[in-house]
Amino acid sequence: MVNVDIAQKISDTVWELPLSYKEGMRVPARIIATEKLLREMDDAVCDQVANVATLPGITSYAFCMPDGHFGYGFPIGGVAAMDIEEGGVISPGGIGFDINCGMRLVTTNLTHDDVKPHLKRIVDLLFERVPAGVGSHGFLKISQDEFREVVEQGALWCVRNGYGWDEDLELTEEDGCIKGADASKISQRAIDRGYNQIGTLGSGNHYLEVQVARPEDMRDVDLAKKFGITIPNQVVVMFHCGSRGFGHQVATDYLQTFLKVMDSKYGIKILDRELACAPFQSPEGRDYFAAMKCGLNMSFANRQVILHRIREVFSEVFGRSAEDLGMHMVYDVSHNTAKLEKHTVDGREKTLLVHRKGATRAFGPGHDEVPARYLDAGQPVIIGGSMETGSYLLAGTSSGAQTFFSTAHGSGRTMSRTKARKQWRGETLLREMEARGIYVRTTSIAGLAEEAGAAYKDIDEVIAATELAGISKPVARFTPIGNVKG
């Protein structure tokens, strides 16, 4: 539990750790949270975000979002923008091992009444067609050379090969293919771990969920319509996954590289080895940036193939094409990234390397990276809650500039996985959820206990904090009715 007395209250949702909090801080650290959420965070969050504030080139503030909790190096929910012209560094710990872990939201024109009689078949087929769990392999059989093409082309490769629609690319961050990915910068071990995992969900907090948009949960009806939520009790599909073992290996490889050169070659000393880094402009930093982009693209491809399978399942169950079922993407948004972006700092526009670790990009209306169809609405933001509670669709805001247009990514854990397994039994949780109208298929009953709703912060409180802070605007809340878990 965080002692709120150690932070200076700037507003009802901004708490600051001053430069005096820890020796070596180059900028203050700010936690975006209500007092209640701040008190619920682990003590380590303050130390970790303060450590981030000591990194070379960091600009303005080190941030932690309302869903923040302890992570590797950076807290989960950590945001840091590095000035690449002032010695700014790139750090795998500020991106995360599951590179481009992210969310994708898909509409249907079906209602809860339409889906309810078929729900178990839908979830069973999704469980069959979208492999989940540790080490799972996808149905897409490609060679290692083809995989190198995938990690340079991302979702674009998938659409060109029949696994999606052209419009899917427009509705994916970076158009589904971030430029500058270089497969020559990734190890053979990373290729070995990733080439057979496209179209798989993974484990942990990753999920594939059938949800309902209830009329009483519409927070902004006009924005909801712009994003495709147009009918009462509309069924949508949301899923959360990343770059699997491939991204983990890329991060592991470069973490080891940075540990070898950080001090000896560049004279960078850090407070925590988990913050291993290198100057962005260095050969090692540039190589990691190009390799990390391969992780981004692998994840875009992974979610694209999963979407293809979801469309197949719904089409099979209802005997209609995915087009006829209105299975259009709302958006695909990333969590674990570092990207070069232009931001205004002290009245000057600068190119910054923005690390978002367990945080979501959230550009406001009119930003040139928002899809044309959403330009006046702002970028869609997808924030997942626990499998027992609900998830949200939000929109980026102009006032989000205060956090480099970054917001929360989920509800955030309040309890370790070990403690959750001791407190709940997966079998009991499974029965209780089905009694409440949520049908679940999982590869691991023990893993299900780790994801119990009470092991997470209250998603409604996290969303309220993001709205009060002005970093994103709630549009609609979705209630789960079917869930596939790893």
Side-chain angles (χ1 to χ4, degrees):
M1 303 286 285
V2 168
N3 177 1
V4 297
D5 294 333
I6 65 176
Q8 297 175 1
K9 183 177 181 179
I10 305 300
S11 72
D12 287 341
T13 53
V14 178
W15 305 81
E16 183 169 297
L17 303 176
L19 294 175
S20 59
Y21 178 79
K22 181 172 286 193
E23 187 176 353
M25 288 175 66
R26 301 168 189 262
V27 296
R30 286 191 165 184
I31 300 173
I32 310 297
T34 59
E35 183 172 332
K36 183 177 186 298
L37 286 172
L38 181 66
R39 289 184 183 278
E40 290 176 351
M41 291 181 184
D42 351 275
D43 285 334
V45 167
C46 289
D47 274 338
Q48 286 196 315
V49 74
N51 288 344
V52 172
T54 68
L55 292 175
I58 190 166
T59 301
S60 299
Y61 303 97
F63 286 103
C64 184
M65 296 295 108
D67 54 337
H69 57 102
F70 177 78
Y72 185 95
F74 277 51
I76 308 297
V79 176
M82 309 303 187
D83 189 332
I84 61 173
E85 301 302 326
E86 298 293 333
V89 296
I90 185 169
S91 172
I95 294 163
F97 283 80
D98 191 4
I99 296 168
N100 190 8
C101 177
M103 308 289 300
R104 186 171 288 209
L105 177 63
V106 186
T107 63
T108 74
N109 55 24
L110 301 166
T111 66
H112 189 196
D113 286 343
D114 296 328
V115 167
K116 191 173 181 180
H118 308 284
L119 181 63
K120 288 191 175 182
R121 185 177 176 217
I122 290 169
V123 174
D124 288 345
L125 283 173
L126 290 172
F127 184 72
E128 175 189 313
R129 306 282 175 82
V130 182
V134 176
S136 53
H137 295 171
F139 83 100
L140 191 63
K141 304 303 180 187
I142 58 174
S143 68
Q144 294 195 356
D145 284 343
E146 286 175 308
F147 182 71
R148 289 182 172 89
E149 294 178 11
V150 172
V151 300
E152 290 187 348
Q153 298 175 25
L156 178 61
W157 184 95
C158 300
V159 172
R160 285 175 174 170
N161 284 273
Y163 302 108
W165 307 342
D166 288 342
E167 70 174 49
D168 297 341
L169 301 177
E170 177 201 347
L171 297 171
T172 303
E173 191 171 312
E174 300 292 341
D175 296 321
C177 174
I178 190 166
K179 296 176 178 60
D182 184 351
S184 72
K185 303 302 182 183
I186 55 182
S187 68
Q188 182 59 45
R189 175 62 177 148
I191 297 287
D192 291 340
R193 291 187 67 181
Y195 82 99
N196 57 11
Q197 291 193 319
I198 296 173
T200 63
L201 200 58
S203 58
N205 64 342
H206 294 159
Y207 63 83
L208 193 171
E209 203 161 74
V210 182
Q211 304 171 336
V212 177
R214 295 173 175 165
E216 61 269 28
D217 290 331
M218 294 299 102
R219 299 288 295 274
D220 188 314
V221 173
D222 290 337
L223 274 181
K225 288 179 178 176
K226 287 182 179 180
F227 291 154
I229 312 301
T230 58
I231 56 179
N233 296 311
Q234 184 172 346
V235 168
V236 300
V237 182
M238 178 184 292
F239 56 101
H240 174 213
C241 63
S243 50
R244 307 285 280 112
F246 175 72
H248 195 284
Q249 191 62 45
V250 169
T252 300
D253 291 341
Y254 279 92
L255 184 74
Q256 295 304 316
T257 297
F258 290 174
L259 284 169
K260 292 173 184 174
V261 302
M262 182 174 51
D263 186 8
S264 61
K265 186 174 181 180
Y266 298 112
I268 298 174
K269 300 185 184 300
I270 53 175
L271 299 179
D272 180 354
R273 72 186 301 276
E274 294 180 358
L275 292 174
C277 58
F280 177 77
Q281 302 284 26
S282 69
E284 295 87 355
R286 288 289 190 175
D287 284 354
Y288 172 56
F289 193 49
M292 185 270 299
K293 286 180 173 181
C294 290
L296 262 71
N297 283 339
M298 190 283 188
S299 194
F300 286 140
N302 189 28
R303 292 197 287 274
Q304 186 62 46
V305 171
I306 289 174
L307 172 57
H308 176 74
R309 300 296 265 176
I310 292 168
R311 285 170 171 157
E312 284 183 341
V313 165
F314 273 78
S315 183
E316 180 176 330
V317 170
F318 290 97
R320 295 157 58 191
S321 70
E323 290 88 349
D324 191 43
L325 291 168
M327 300 195 71
H328 299 283
M329 277 180 57
V330 177
Y331 202 56
D332 179 302
V333 70
S334 306
H335 295 154
N336 293 357
T337 65
K339 292 184 179 178
L340 289 174
E341 299 171 358
K342 292 186 183 301
H343 292 273
T344 301
V345 178
D346 298 329
R348 292 177 52 209
E349 185 177 79
K350 291 189 173 186
T351 298
L352 304 175
L353 182 72
V354 183
H355 293 68
R356 295 186 180 94
K357 199 266 191 72
T360 307
R361 190 187 78 174
F363 288 133
H367 195 285
D368 58 9
E369 291 200 44
V370 175
R373 68 181 69 186
Y374 299 145
L375 199 58
D376 61 341
Q379 177 205 303
V381 174
I382 307 161
I383 297 184
S386 77
M387 62 185 179
E388 291 192 74
T389 53
S391 301
Y392 274 84
L393 172 64
L394 303 90
T397 60
S398 298
S399 54
Q402 62 183 296
T403 57
F404 302 105
F405 294 105
S406 308
T407 189
H409 89 302
S411 48
R413 294 194 73 90
T414 58
M415 185 183 297
S416 72
R417 296 183 184 280
T418 300
K419 187 174 180 181
R421 283 198 306 273
K422 291 178 179 177
Q423 189 156 335
W424 292 284
R425 290 185 59 82
E427 299 91 340
T428 304
L429 195 57
L430 200 67
R431 290 194 299 270
E432 290 176 348
M433 289 177 67
E434 187 162 359
R436 297 201 306 272
I438 308 172
Y439 178 60
V440 180
R441 291 294 306 274
T442 181
T443 61
S444 169
I445 292 296
L448 194 69
E450 296 175 2
E451 297 301 309
Y456 285 84
K457 296 180 176 69
D458 184 326
I459 184 66
D460 298 312
E461 290 183 7
V462 171
I463 298 304
T466 67
E467 181 178 25
L468 188 60
I471 56 177
S472 47
K473 175 182 174 59
V475 175
R477 189 186 197 277
F478 304 119
T479 300
I481 57 172
N483 191 294
V484 174
K485 292 288 291 185

